[in-house]
Amino acid sequence: MLLMNYFKRKLKRLPVYEWAEFGFFLCFVGGFLDAYTFLTRGGVFANAQTGNLILLVIGLARGDGFSALRYLFPVLVFCLGVFSSQLLLLLGKKRGNDFGGHGVILIAEIALLCAVGFIPASAPDALVNAVISFVAAIQYDNFRRMEGMAIATAFCTGNLRAATEQLFRSFADKTAKPFLNALRYFLIIFGFMAGVCGGYFAAEAFWEKSAFFAAAILSVPLFALVFSQRPRKKLLRTAYAVRTLTKEEIPAAKELIFETFTRFIAPDYTEEGKETYRKFLFESGLEKEAEFYGVFDENALQGVLAVSGTHIRAFFVRCGQQGKGYGGALMRAILNKISAGEITVNASRYGKPVYEKFGFAATDEEQQKDGIIYTPMKLTRT
């Protein structure tokens, strides 16, 4: 019961695909696939493309010729996998559904690994390595955050750097949170190492069918993701608490806004636009110009709306929590407050359909300023 309550509380705070436990399984598979391809398929890494590039250059330098080019093929396929994963995320974003991207990624990984399990041992190593590098790329590109922190599910260097940095901050600032963050990083590093160990023993015992084992491991986070997306009648009946945020709560609200912006809106922006929005949110003194409202579910902040007079400056729901009524609760609170006159907003491409559902209409064509892409919209209240 305590464990179930822990997961329920955590699901209200974070989408399941950003949990440390979720990342552990993904890192296990990353390490497993690296060991599998290195030991059984020509000494090529499925994930570590830096290693493949090093081996490629060394091979060319010592005159291995065509043989060295086997290290280039997985690098190219890895790039293709990243491109494909971005396409899947874009399609999922347009549907306004996190599962539309992340769930499809896991299903695709499992299907491809099962397909590898049916490839005979006599098949060219390049074919198997290509499929697995593709799998590794889409996993690495799609799952890049853990408990609000950046991670890599396919490598250890960045995670080790981040873990050490968090340890330093804990000792320097004498606070516990960075230490807990470091432990989370070490957890997924251990997951990667455990995957390498599993890949070694699988290669020794039943290497031809090892891909099936990796697919089975991936089924665990897939089940967790599907389970977290199931309809929850309790949520649909809940009257969420909407109130003005205190000064102390605004930093957390800004982090929620920026995280959702990065996930859904930033892909449409240039680097200039991303930096412009970051400065607008964190450096422009927005909290002095706008009033921040938050929607809470059992004391967990799930959405934020910032408004200056009758102009909406920001309207975001936490990643993974869309479609549960949080945005509607926020908007209804603002509409009840502004009972007459015009409410305006500069809507992003992602937000435009959302505002249209609330009755907003475009007043001009899509515009761009300082890298920010938006459509002016308004709602007239009588």
Side-chain angles (χ1 to χ4, degrees):
M1 183 61 70
L2 290 176
L3 189 62
M4 287 299 296
N5 289 334
Y6 165 77
F7 286 131
K8 287 179 179 179
R9 290 194 301 271
K10 196 168 187 178
L11 187 59
K12 292 180 181 295
R13 184 170 55 89
L14 288 169
V16 69
Y17 56 80
E18 290 190 13
W19 291 8
E21 298 88 343
F22 196 95
F24 175 88
F25 285 101
L26 295 180
C27 287
F28 182 96
V29 171
F32 185 98
L33 294 179
D34 261 345
Y36 169 69
T37 56
F38 185 81
L39 293 172
T40 67
R41 291 294 181 175
V44 172
F45 291 112
N47 289 304
Q49 302 310 318
T50 301
N52 288 332
L53 289 172
I54 292 172
L55 294 172
L56 168 66
V57 175
I58 290 175
L60 292 175
R62 67 186 178 192
D64 290 346
F66 183 78
S67 176
L69 293 180
R70 72 181 187 273
Y71 297 111
L72 178 61
F73 193 51
V75 174
L76 297 176
V77 175
F78 189 90
C79 293
L80 177 62
V82 172
F83 184 90
S84 301
S85 78
Q86 287 295 312
L87 178 61
L88 286 172
L89 280 176
L90 177 62
L91 295 175
K93 182 184 71 172
K94 288 183 176 180
R95 293 175 57 189
N97 186 347
D98 282 323
F99 183 76
H102 295 85
V104 169
I105 289 300
L106 287 176
I107 292 171
E109 281 194 63
I110 292 171
L112 288 171
L113 289 175
C114 287
V116 169
F118 287 105
I119 297 177
S122 58
D125 290 343
L127 172 63
V128 177
N129 289 334
V131 176
I132 294 181
S133 290
F134 186 84
V135 168
I138 59 177
Q139 174 181 303
Y140 166 70
D141 189 58
N142 272 263
F143 301 98
R144 292 186 286 181
R145 294 189 67 80
M146 173 192 69
E147 313 278 336
M149 303 177 294
I151 64 163
T153 61
F155 316 105
C156 285
T157 304
N159 296 332
L160 188 59
R161 180 207 61 78
T164 306
E165 179 184 4
Q166 291 294 320
L167 280 178
F168 173 80
R169 289 182 177 178
S170 177
F171 290 122
D173 301 337
K174 295 181 174 57
T175 55
K177 185 176 180 180
F179 181 76
L180 295 175
N181 290 339
L183 292 181
R184 293 186 179 101
Y185 276 115
F186 284 123
L187 172 67
I188 62 173
I189 291 171
F190 175 76
F192 188 90
M193 295 170 63
V196 172
C197 183
Y200 170 78
F201 286 109
E204 290 288 313
F206 50 93
W207 73 268
E208 290 185 27
K209 302 301 180 184
S210 294
F212 286 118
F213 182 75
I217 293 296
L218 275 175
S219 298
V220 176
L222 176 64
F223 174 79
L225 184 58
V226 173
F227 185 76
S228 71
Q229 294 291 322
R230 78 196 191 284
R232 290 187 286 277
K233 295 181 180 179
K234 179 182 176 181
L235 282 177
L236 295 177
R237 294 195 303 264
T238 300
Y240 305 122
V242 178
R243 61 174 173 80
T244 305
L245 298 182
T246 65
K247 181 180 178 181
E248 292 72 23
E249 291 171 325
I250 289 179
K254 287 185 175 182
E255 291 296 335
L256 183 155
I257 290 172
F258 193 67
E259 180 181 350
T260 309
F261 164 80
T262 301
R263 169 71 175 84
F264 290 102
I265 298 174
D268 290 332
Y269 284 11
T270 62
E271 291 303 317
E272 178 192 19
K274 296 173 186 177
E275 180 62 12
T276 298
Y277 193 83
R278 186 195 68 78
K279 289 181 178 179
F280 156 76
L281 186 61
F282 294 109
E283 300 178 11
S284 68
L286 179 61
E287 61 273 23
K288 298 178 182 179
E289 303 173 3
E291 193 170 13
F292 281 72
Y293 292 84
V295 56
F296 292 82
D297 187 3
E298 295 185 7
N299 297 319
L301 180 64
Q302 301 294 359
V304 178
L305 193 154
V307 59
S308 299
T310 60
H311 182 70
I312 296 175
R313 307 295 296 276
F315 178 33
F316 290 88
V317 172
R318 186 181 297 279
C319 287
Q321 302 301 315
Q322 290 86 357
K324 297 179 180 178
Y326 299 126
L330 272 173
M331 185 60 72
R332 284 191 296 272
I334 297 302
L335 296 182
N336 288 336
K337 180 181 178 181
I338 307 173
S339 58
E342 292 183 348
I343 304 174
T344 59
V345 65
N346 292 329
S348 66
R349 288 175 180 171
Y350 176 77
K352 186 172 180 287
V354 177
Y355 286 108
E356 288 175 340
K357 291 180 180 178
F358 291 111
F360 285 77
T363 59
D364 205 340
E365 299 294 326
E366 182 178 89
Q367 301 178 25
Q368 184 170 340
K369 182 180 179 181
D370 298 328
I372 300 292
I373 302 170
Y374 66 93
T375 299
M377 305 183 76
K378 74 174 181 179
L379 171 66
T380 302
R381 303 278 287 171
T382 58

